[in-house]
Each structure stands twice: as structure tokens, then as C-alpha cells.
Amino acid sequence: MPKAKKRGGAHQRGAGGQPRNVQPFSDEDASIETMSHCSGFSDPASFTEDGPEVDEEATQEDLEYKLKGFIDLTLDKSAKTRQAALESLKSAFSSKILYEFIMERRMTLTDSIERCIKKGKSEEQCAAAGLACLLCVQMGSGIESEEIFKTLGPVLKKIVCDGTASVQARQACATCLGICCFIVTDDITELYSTMECLENIFIKAYPRDRDTNGVSSTPNTVLHISALLAWTLLLTICPMNEVKKKIEMHLHKLPSMLSCDDVNMRIAAGETLALLFELARETDADFFYEDMELLTEKLRALATDGNKHRAKVDKRKQRSVFRDVLRAVEERDFPTETVKFGPERMYIDCWVKKQTYDTFKEILGSGMQYHLQSNDFLRNVFELGPPVMLDAAALKTMKISRFERHLYNSAAFKARTKARSKCRDKRADVGEFF
């Protein structure tokens, strides 16, 4: 392997001639450097026919060499450098399967994450919590992941419950706690303990009995939303007797959150209600909710909300979600969604599956499709079976040339422009009077 270039001369070497860590770099440098090696792995079909042949082994070695450097930099004295290294590792872990590489360094990574969460500031804690999620996604369910969660679980719970910590850090740790517990926990006691921790956070969003004018958002609202969604994710893997207890405890309280002035809280509460109704009807086909008429009235109002004081984007998003929630509660129906990745398709046909998919899509981002194709854990969660192995001929048929892609995009852009222009043209609304 060629020697690394010297940037600072002899002062970069310590006693004994050993090289020190590379000099700190900016967030932008870290992002560009990592993505240049990782983005190409997001989808086999992303390679074009006219692209040059790539030495995969050399590329993999180069990637691992850079990742080792990033892992070392998580221990740097500079908070900015540590955060940039964490973000770079997150980018790589979300865009490629690195099981063997991570297996050899899982304890080092766990120690680095623990140190950053304990001693770092808000942004560094958020980055470390995000990396912890991706670490568990990469490792899947197993003894190694359980060891990681045993180390990080208590630290995450401490931050979540710490009122002096930043809201953003608590929010990230709440999400991380739910996802990691979902992935690794076989111990039912630990599952219930984690759910109780999250429950104690989001129940603070419930209005008091004397409140009659709805729920006002607070700086902690984002934390309440994350705790509620993480709790809901864990509820999907609970035994049915525990599910019944939680439904009895929260089903009559959650509708109060629908009056919150934060659109994301309203949506989170609505989706949780739809999921609770789905689980309740699975456990009891004759399930009956006493205040159904009042609830459906609220849901219908949100599904057709036209209040002018709310942003158009918020209203559009809210109406779309609550139309589906209303159908779930009133008609026991779910609009099936299709997710395509490579040559495969996955059908999301229930709220439990949607909640799980949305959670992992949030942390994996654009790497979700690649992980659905190759990650054994996610394929097991969504019952996709073992990864589909594609030969070179199959991959070639999936590729599209750069010119063909340009023609397709041009045609789509032209059609979209015409349609929008027609709708925007005021003359289209004027009839012919002469």
C-alpha cells in the first residue's frame, strides 16, 4: 500500500517515529471524503454502462483504511473533529454492509460512542446516538449486539431522563434507545424497562384534567414525539397480554394529543392511534371503543383541515396522514404501499409494518433500499427471505445508460412543466363568453 502523504512535515510524528492522527478536518471535508467512497454502493443499478471498471477489492481496502482513520478520530481532543468523524462513519454505515469490518472493531466503536454521549455536547451526542443505531443495524440481533446494548443502554436512559441535557440530545437518545432495544433485546424484562423509560417521557405531553383548550407545544415536544414513536415501535414486539394493558392505559388519553398545535405531534398521535386500533382488533375481533363517534369526528376534522393560520405544507401532510388514519379507525382499512428495491418489491399492508419501515428509513435515509437488499436482519424483520443473489448478466439488464436516463428525465420534466403551467394559468379558469 502506498505511503500516506505528509502534510505537516516531521512535527506529525511523535516519540519513536510513530505517526499521529491525521489533522482535523471540517464537516464538509469529512462528508465529501466518505461519500466519494460510499455513495456508489447504494444500489447496483446505479452503475452506468459507460462507466469505467472498478477494482472492488482495492476500493474496499481504501474504504476500510479511511474508516479506521475515522474511528481513531472519534477519540480526538477537538469536539468538531470527533463530530465530523462520527458523521462520516454514519454515512458509511448507512450506505454499505460492513459486518466483518465492524465485528472486529465493535468494542472500540462502542467505547467511542459511549465516551461521546457521556462527555460530548449536544451535536456530538446526537451524532453518537445515530451511529449507535447504525451499529446495531449492521450487527443485527445476536450476542454481540446484546453486549453493545448492555454498555450503551444505561447511558442512553440516563441522557433521556436528564432534564439538564439538551432536548436534541435527549430526542436522539430516545430514538436510539427504542431502535437498539427493538433489534437486540430478547430479555422481556429489559424490554418492559425500556418502554417504561420512554413512557415516562411522552406521558408528560398529555394535558391535565383542567386543560380544555388543547395542548400547547413546548421546547420538549420534539422529545415527546420521539419517545412516543420509539415506544410504539417496541409495542409491536410485545406479548399480547402486555399489548392489552398498554391499550387500556393509553387509548383513551392519546386523542387529547390530536389537539396539539404542533403538526408533527398530531401526526405521531394519529399514527399511534391507528396502530393501537389495529393491535386491539387483532387481540379481540369484537373490540369496541366507547368514544368512537367523538374520535372519528376529530380525525375527520384533521383530514379536512383548512385553517388559514396553518402552513400549507403542514396542512397537506396532515390531511394525507389523517385520511389513512380515519380509514383505519373507522373502516379497518389500510392503503397498501409498494416499496421497490432492485428487482424486488415489498408490500406494506398494515400499520405495524409501516411504523417499522418508517423508523428504519429515518435512520438509514437513502441507504434503506440497499439494506433491504443485503441486510440479513432487516430482511428477517420484513420477512423477505435470504438476499437475492444476482449474476453479472442480471445486473447488466438492470443498468440504464446515461443517455437513456437523460431522455427519460427530459420527457418527464417537460410533461410536468406543461401540467403545472396549465393549472397555474388563470386563463384556464375563464370561460368563453363571446
Side-chain angles (χ1 to χ4, degrees):
M1 184 178 293
K3 295 182 180 179
K5 294 181 180 179
K6 298 181 180 179
R7 294 186 179 179
H11 71 276
Q12 285 192 341
R13 295 185 175 273
Q18 294 297 323
R20 296 179 181 174
N21 289 333
V22 296
Q23 290 184 353
F25 48 88
S26 68
D27 295 350
E28 183 178 359
D29 293 336
S31 176
I32 294 172
E33 192 170 18
T34 302
M35 290 309 297
S36 65
H37 292 274
C38 299
S39 60
F41 297 99
S42 60
D43 186 356
S46 65
F47 295 103
T48 56
E49 292 179 354
D50 47 356
E53 293 294 329
V54 178
D55 186 346
E56 293 184 5
E57 186 176 350
T59 303
Q60 181 68 15
E61 288 180 0
D62 191 22
L63 172 62
E64 292 186 1
Y65 178 77
K66 288 182 177 293
L67 293 179
K68 291 175 186 175
F70 293 142
I71 292 173
D72 290 340
L73 287 174
T74 59
L75 305 176
D76 196 87
K77 292 182 179 180
S78 167
K80 187 175 182 180
T81 302
R82 291 196 304 271
Q83 184 184 337
L86 292 168
E87 294 291 349
S88 298
L89 288 169
K90 282 174 58 181
S91 178
F93 284 14
S94 64
S95 60
K96 187 169 174 60
I97 302 297
L98 298 162
Y99 180 82
E100 294 180 0
F101 175 85
I102 293 173
M103 175 66 80
E104 296 174 359
R105 299 164 181 82
R106 65 185 186 280
M107 298 314 298
T108 303
L109 281 164
T110 304
D111 291 342
S112 296
I113 291 170
E114 181 184 14
R115 187 178 292 105
C116 291
I117 292 176
K118 281 183 175 179
K119 300 182 179 181
K121 300 297 182 183
S122 177
E123 292 182 352
E124 184 179 344
Q125 289 174 313
C126 292
L131 182 60
C133 292
L134 293 169
L135 180 61
C136 287
V137 170
Q138 289 273 350
M139 298 300 298
S141 55
I143 297 175
E144 294 82 6
S145 295
E146 289 180 13
E147 292 175 354
I148 294 171
F149 188 62
K150 283 180 181 177
T151 302
L152 297 180
V155 181
L156 293 169
K157 288 180 182 178
K158 184 177 180 180
I159 297 295
V160 169
C161 299
D162 184 2
T164 62
S166 75
V167 175
Q168 291 75 19
R170 296 175 70 192
Q171 177 189 7
C173 288
T175 299
C176 179
L177 185 62
I179 292 173
C180 293
C181 184
F182 177 87
I183 294 172
V184 308
T185 300
D186 287 331
D187 182 2
I188 200 72
T189 306
E190 180 60 36
L191 174 62
Y192 291 166
S193 172
T194 302
M195 290 186 70
E196 184 180 0
C197 174
L198 296 168
E199 204 170 36
N200 290 335
I201 298 298
F202 75 78
I203 60 173
K204 294 176 183 177
Y206 289 152
R208 297 175 182 176
D209 295 338
R210 63 175 180 269
D211 291 338
T212 57
N213 296 324
V215 182
S216 298
S217 61
T218 67
N220 287 330
T221 297
V222 290
L223 170 62
H224 298 155
I225 294 171
S226 295
L228 175 62
L229 294 176
W231 176 87
T232 307
L233 177 69
L234 295 180
L235 185 66
T236 64
I237 60 174
C238 280
M240 280 303 175
N241 59 340
E242 185 67 17
V243 171
K244 288 181 180 179
K245 292 179 184 177
K246 296 301 182 183
I247 289 174
E248 292 174 1
M249 187 184 303
H250 294 284
L251 192 57
H252 68 286
K253 295 180 180 179
L254 275 169
S256 63
M257 290 186 176
L258 299 176
S259 302
C260 181
D261 55 10
D262 185 285
V263 64
N264 293 315
M265 174 59 86
R266 295 196 297 273
I267 289 173
E271 291 181 336
T272 301
L273 277 169
L275 188 142
L276 289 181
F277 269 89
E278 183 176 271
L279 292 175
R281 286 162 177 165
E282 284 181 6
T283 58
D284 181 6
D286 300 322
F287 172 76
F288 175 75
Y289 182 65
E290 295 179 357
D291 299 324
M292 179 64 83
E293 186 175 348
L294 180 61
L295 177 60
T296 53
E297 185 180 336
K298 276 187 176 182
L299 295 176
R300 191 171 288 107
L302 291 168
T304 57
D305 187 10
N307 288 335
K308 292 184 178 180
H309 68 275
R310 288 178 179 162
K312 288 184 178 180
V313 175
D314 290 348
K315 286 189 290 186
R316 192 179 300 116
K317 182 181 179 182
Q318 174 183 290
R319 288 196 293 259
S320 174
V321 170
F322 278 96
R323 281 195 294 267
D324 295 339
V325 173
L326 181 62
R327 286 174 60 184
V329 173
E330 200 171 33
E331 305 173 17
R332 305 188 179 200
D333 189 24
F334 181 86
T336 303
E337 301 175 16
T338 304
V339 179
K340 298 179 182 179
F341 47 98
E344 299 178 86
R345 293 184 180 186
M346 179 177 72
Y347 297 98
I348 300 176
D349 53 7
C350 63
W351 283 97
V352 169
K353 203 168 186 177
K354 183 182 187 303
Q355 170 71 15
T356 308
Y357 176 79
D358 289 347
T359 300
F360 284 100
K361 185 179 178 182
E362 183 69 24
I363 62 169
L364 289 168
S366 60
M368 182 65 177
Q369 290 189 348
Y370 178 78
H371 278 265
L372 283 175
Q373 286 180 274
S374 308
N375 189 305
D376 290 331
F377 166 72
L378 281 185
R379 293 186 68 87
N380 184 46
V381 167
F382 294 108
E383 300 177 341
L384 297 172
V388 176
M389 302 303 294
L390 299 175
D391 55 20
L395 282 173
K396 191 173 182 180
T397 60
M398 293 168 57
K399 295 176 183 177
I400 180 172
S401 69
R402 192 170 291 151
F403 179 68
E404 290 174 333
R405 187 165 61 250
H406 172 70
L407 290 178
Y408 174 80
N409 290 338
S410 297
F413 176 76
K414 187 175 181 180
R416 186 168 60 248
T417 302
K418 282 185 175 181
R420 289 177 176 175
S421 298
K422 186 176 181 180
C423 292
R424 292 170 180 164
D425 193 347
K426 294 181 180 179
R427 289 174 296 179
D429 297 328
V430 180
E432 294 183 2
F433 297 102
F434 303 101

